[in-house]
Amino acid sequence: MNHPLEAGLKKMLQEAFDGPQKPVTVSWFTNTKPDSGIFGVLSQLTAADASKQIYGTTLAAHTDHIRYHMWGTNEWLYEGTFPTMDWNKSWEIHRVSEEEWLSIQAGLQHEYHRLLEKINHMEWNEDLANEVVGSLAHSAYHLGAMQQMIKFMKDQVK
């Protein structure tokens, strides 16, 4: 990876999922709090938390939806064809056990690492660039939605 846009895109994906680099002195778009990326946010949740209905969905469904979207992105990047996807199915998770919750998170970690690896070896064109940037934007949107859901849960406890 030599191009500054590739490096920047990868850095933004890493911030979205892993949070800002440590020691945290600056954040590009999340914040400088510890565990502010998707994986840090998810690590604070139990299966019971992830299963709570908030605004008509669950944190488990949001997490699996991100995984599903990223799987679709990876299929296109690795296989050259975009798979047929059932977006409604990606929202069907209402309740998860601890084992299921850990599995969903592991699946997301797997797809995230596949995407980072592929970025290192891509032959870019506009469509592929749009897909990867779209995946970043999609993930950042869901990070914000999940943070709002967690804030709502905490406000309910007060």
Side-chain angles (χ1 to χ4, degrees):
M1 174 176 21
N2 295 327
H3 197 280
L5 285 174
E6 286 178 18
L9 178 58
K10 192 169 180 180
K11 186 173 284 198
M12 294 306 104
L13 278 164
Q14 290 169 322
E15 183 167 325
F17 284 90
D18 297 322
Q21 291 181 341
K22 293 178 179 140
V24 179
T25 57
V26 67
S27 167
W28 293 102
F29 72 93
T30 55
N31 63 51
T32 56
K33 294 179 184 173
D35 298 322
S36 60
I38 289 172
F39 296 131
V41 167
L42 298 179
S43 72
Q44 301 169 36
L45 302 172
T46 64
D49 293 333
S51 298
K52 289 180 182 170
Q53 286 285 322
I54 303 168
Y55 305 127
T57 189
T58 65
L59 287 154
H62 269 274
T63 305
D64 196 56
H65 178 78
I66 299 167
R67 181 209 54 81
Y68 186 62
H69 180 271
M70 193 164 283
W71 169 81
T73 293
N74 282 329
E75 286 298 299
W76 186 14
L77 298 178
Y78 279 89
E79 305 301 327
T81 57
F82 197 78
T84 301
M85 299 182 78
D86 181 352
W87 291 107
N88 290 328
K89 187 165 182 63
S90 73
W91 288 105
E92 290 180 354
I93 296 175
H94 300 291
R95 184 168 309 282
V96 291
S97 67
E98 288 295 337
E99 184 177 307
E100 291 166 326
W101 179 227
L102 291 173
S103 177
I104 289 169
Q105 292 177 78
L108 178 57
Q109 284 264 3
H110 174 73
E111 295 301 337
Y112 164 69
H113 288 291
R114 282 183 70 208
L115 180 57
L116 289 180
E117 179 61 29
K118 185 63 176 174
I119 288 171
N120 289 333
H121 308 288
M122 283 182 57
E123 294 200 24
W124 293 93
N125 63 44
E126 187 174 348
D127 287 339
L128 296 179
N130 289 340
E131 181 64 24
V132 175
V133 171
S135 187
L136 169 61
H138 182 257
S139 300
Y141 165 81
H142 284 285
L143 170 59
M146 292 174 0
Q147 288 171 329
Q148 291 304 305
M149 292 171 74
I150 291 168
K151 182 181 182 316
F152 177 83
M153 284 184 351
K154 289 178 180 175
D155 288 348
Q156 295 302 305
V157 174
K158 290 180 182 177

